[in-house]
Amino acid sequence: MHKRKTHKGMKKRFKVTASGKLKHRSANRHHRMGKKAGERKLRLRHGEVVSGPIAKKIVEALQPGM
């Protein structure tokens, strides 16, 4: 039987907080920053929290299996 592994792509992009929420970085931060307004760039600095049924699937993918 194969060993279940942590999804390495998700491990790089998501972090589980102490309270069990999922954090990730905002999109649209990588290039063409000169076009974007300063206020928009300020908002994009902060990470976002994932919620809903997709969060449960991501947490499962981040847990190594037995």
Side-chain angles (χ1 to χ4, degrees):
M1 190 167 161
H2 294 291
K3 190 175 177 182
R4 245 184 99 198
K5 297 180 180 180
T6 301
H7 194 288
K8 297 296 184 178
M10 284 190 189
K11 186 178 173 184
K12 293 170 191 173
R13 290 168 174 83
F14 295 95
K15 181 178 188 269
V16 182
T17 63
S19 62
K21 295 178 184 176
L22 278 172
K23 279 173 49 175
H24 71 96
R25 289 202 50 178
S26 299
N28 305 313
R29 278 201 48 136
H30 296 289
H31 57 92
R32 295 189 180 168
M33 294 301 284
K35 286 184 169 188
K36 294 167 187 159
E39 199 173 314
R40 182 177 173 194
K41 288 189 271 191
L42 191 80
R43 284 195 308 267
L44 289 172
R45 279 182 206 162
H46 310 291
E48 296 176 0
V49 178
V50 180
S51 61
I54 192 75
K56 186 179 177 186
K57 289 185 178 187
I58 294 170
V59 169
E60 285 175 7
L62 291 174
Q63 299 298 323
M66 290 187 190

